[in-house]
Amino acid sequence: MKKIWIPLMLVALFVLAGCNKAIPAKEAGELFVDRVVYDEDTKKFTENFANGEELNKGFKENEANFKDNFTAGLISVGDAVSKDEANELTELLNHQIKEVTSYDVKVKEAGKISNVTYEVKGLDFAAIMKETSKGITQKMIADNKLANDQNKIIEETLQLLRENIKTAKAKETAVPIMIEMKPEKGKWTIVRGQRDQINNLYFAFVAGVKDQETLTSDWNKAMEEVAKEVQAELK
């Protein structure tokens, strides 16, 4: 019996050890985005990421900050924009991100660390704001009374934003963002010190750019284009 018992014990230990093996790096990379960007696979994410809740909390802070900045100007203008209206716009934005954005995952092993590169085709946020700015400017030119009615301007701007967000498309050019991950005791972790990379991953999805600086630059270019286009129409 001893000769049979010992091999069986070894087999049992081998099987149990195999249960602690982390999922493949590519699958882990996809799971990370599905959770923190698309709000999917919550249970599976927690099961396969050691610091999953911490990561998700940090990512949601980025999301909240971006959306606060997105609506802050509208709310601060006056009572014409309520918090409910601002929240409606951000929910529309979030919905469109889930609808039209896409990504590919590529993995390169570097010892125990996996370099997971996301090639993200994110939302063209600059185009949303460009079309909205152009639209409200054209309305003001067509209706002189509108220019003197701040509340009406806000109302028209909100409507244009709703329409442009609902029809927004993803950028055709993918933005590469690399995140370092490593397996520990059967679960994946994001290597420490990558807050900027995680921030940039969010910007890649929400605005189709690699970072805040690029978004600001794109925004400025879009406003310059609006000014030139409007001037050309007035000639």
Side-chain angles (χ1 to χ4, degrees):
M1 290 295 292
K2 288 183 179 179
K3 291 182 179 179
I4 297 176
W5 177 249
I6 292 175
L8 286 176
M9 285 291 292
L10 291 175
V11 170
L13 289 172
F14 179 78
V15 171
L16 288 173
C19 291
N20 291 325
K21 186 177 180 181
I23 60 176
K26 188 174 188 296
E27 185 179 346
E30 293 170 347
L31 184 59
F32 178 68
V33 164
D34 286 345
R35 177 66 189 104
V36 298
V37 177
Y38 298 124
D39 287 324
E40 299 174 354
D41 293 325
T42 304
K43 183 179 179 182
K44 189 175 180 181
F45 179 71
T46 304
E47 290 173 348
N48 289 283
F49 274 84
N51 53 344
E53 290 307 315
E54 178 186 347
L55 291 168
N56 193 48
K57 181 180 178 181
F59 206 84
K60 291 307 176 186
E61 287 176 357
N62 293 335
E63 181 181 50
N65 289 336
F66 179 86
K67 290 180 178 179
D68 285 346
N69 291 332
F70 171 55
T71 58
L74 295 175
I75 296 175
S76 65
V77 170
D79 296 332
V81 181
S82 67
K83 288 186 177 180
D84 287 342
E85 288 173 319
N87 287 335
E88 177 195 1
L89 288 174
T90 57
E91 287 303 315
L92 286 173
L93 185 67
N94 192 46
H95 173 77
Q96 199 66 7
I97 289 169
K98 295 176 182 179
E99 286 292 312
V100 304
T101 63
S102 62
Y103 70 97
D104 288 323
V105 176
K106 294 183 179 180
V107 178
K108 185 177 181 180
E109 303 297 343
K112 294 183 179 180
I113 295 176
S114 293
N115 294 328
V116 180
T117 298
Y118 296 96
E119 295 184 348
V120 182
K121 292 184 177 180
L123 199 66
D124 195 344
F125 185 77
I128 294 173
M129 301 310 292
K130 176 183 176 181
E131 291 304 311
T132 300
S133 296
K134 183 178 179 180
I136 193 62
T137 301
Q138 290 174 329
K139 283 179 177 288
M140 291 170 67
I141 292 172
D143 184 359
N144 292 331
K145 293 181 180 180
L146 178 60
N148 297 318
D149 189 338
Q150 189 67 23
N151 288 340
K152 186 64 176 177
I153 291 174
I154 295 296
E155 182 183 331
E156 294 288 345
T157 300
L158 287 174
Q159 185 56 36
L160 286 168
L161 272 173
R162 291 187 188 98
E163 295 171 1
N164 290 327
I165 290 173
K166 289 178 181 178
T167 58
K169 297 180 180 180
K171 285 193 171 183
E172 295 183 359
T173 303
V175 175
I177 304 292
M178 195 272 285
I179 304 289
E180 293 182 344
M181 301 182 184
K182 64 179 180 179
E184 291 182 353
K185 298 180 180 179
K187 289 191 174 186
W188 285 90
T189 63
I190 303 298
V191 177
R192 298 288 180 180
Q194 297 187 93
R195 186 172 184 82
D196 286 345
Q197 290 93 318
I198 293 175
N199 290 348
N200 293 343
L201 182 61
Y202 178 73
F203 278 108
F205 276 95
V206 76
V209 296
K210 63 179 181 178
D211 52 32
Q212 174 68 63
E213 290 73 20
T214 305
L215 177 58
T216 301
S217 176
D218 284 0
W219 165 250
N220 290 334
K221 289 178 182 177
M223 293 306 97
E224 289 174 3
E225 290 173 2
V226 169
K228 289 179 181 179
E229 290 172 11
V230 170
Q231 287 176 359
E233 291 177 3
L234 292 173
K235 291 181 180 180

